[in-house]
Amino acid sequence: MMAFSMTSPADVIKDLSQRAKRRRIDAGITQRELAARAGVSYGSLRLFEETGKISLEALAKIAFVLEAEAEFEQLFPPRPPKTIEDVIDRPARQRVRRK
């Protein structure tokens, strides 16, 4: 059975920034140290931890330093097949056309 989450995108972003902050603190790394190791500006890191706003590239860099890069593989997994046609070996679609 699937669990449905009643959170908004803003809630997801805020939770993500708080988990990253907690992971940084648990690792004993200051904001300045993390920013330097990740190659992102100190201001960007502070803004991320306070508001959740950050570029995807900077987030990925921070994740590598915090040893959380593997979690990115869990984003957007392929959908399980629904029909036999989904299982048949054929080329993957590259785009969607309107009907």
Side-chain angles (χ1 to χ4, degrees), residues 16 19-20 23 34 38 56-76:
L16 176 64
R19 284 186 282 132
R23 192 155 182 161
L34 178 55
L56 181 58
E57 180 179 6
L59 181 59
K61 289 177 178 181
I62 290 167
F64 269 83
V65 174
L66 295 176
E67 298 177 353
E69 71 280 358
E71 283 82 350
F72 277 94
E73 292 180 14
Q74 296 175 17
L75 289 172
F76 309 112

Side-chain angles (χ1 to χ4, degrees), residues 80-96:
K82 294 180 183 176
T83 67
I84 190 68
E85 285 79 23
D86 293 341
V87 179
I88 297 172
D89 199 20
R90 52 175 127 153
R93 294 175 65 178
Q94 299 298 313
R95 60 182 167 197
V96 176

Side-chain angles (χ1 to χ4, degrees), residues 3-95:
F4 289 97
S5 178
M6 299 299 280
T7 61
S8 68
D11 292 336
V12 171
I13 291 166
K14 187 65 176 170
D15 184 59
L16 176 64
S17 68
Q18 292 306 306
R19 284 186 282 132
K21 180 178 180 178
R22 173 59 29 212
R23 192 155 182 161
R24 173 185 63 77
I25 291 169
D26 289 347
I29 303 170
T30 67
Q31 285 180 326
R32 289 195 186 277
E33 289 172 328
L34 178 55
R37 288 186 199 177
V40 301
S41 73
Y42 169 66
S44 291
L45 179 61
R46 281 191 56 217
L47 185 66
F48 170 59
E49 287 190 358
E50 291 172 11
T51 68
K53 294 182 180 183
I54 194 165
S55 74
L56 181 58
E57 180 179 6
L59 181 59
K61 289 177 178 181
I62 290 167
F64 269 83
V65 174
L66 295 176
E67 298 177 353
E69 71 280 358
E71 283 82 350
F72 277 94
E73 292 180 14
Q74 296 175 17
L75 289 172
F76 309 112
R79 292 186 183 265
K82 294 180 183 176
T83 67
I84 190 68
E85 285 79 23
D86 293 341
V87 179
I88 297 172
D89 199 20
R90 52 175 127 153
R93 294 175 65 178
Q94 299 298 313
R95 60 182 167 197

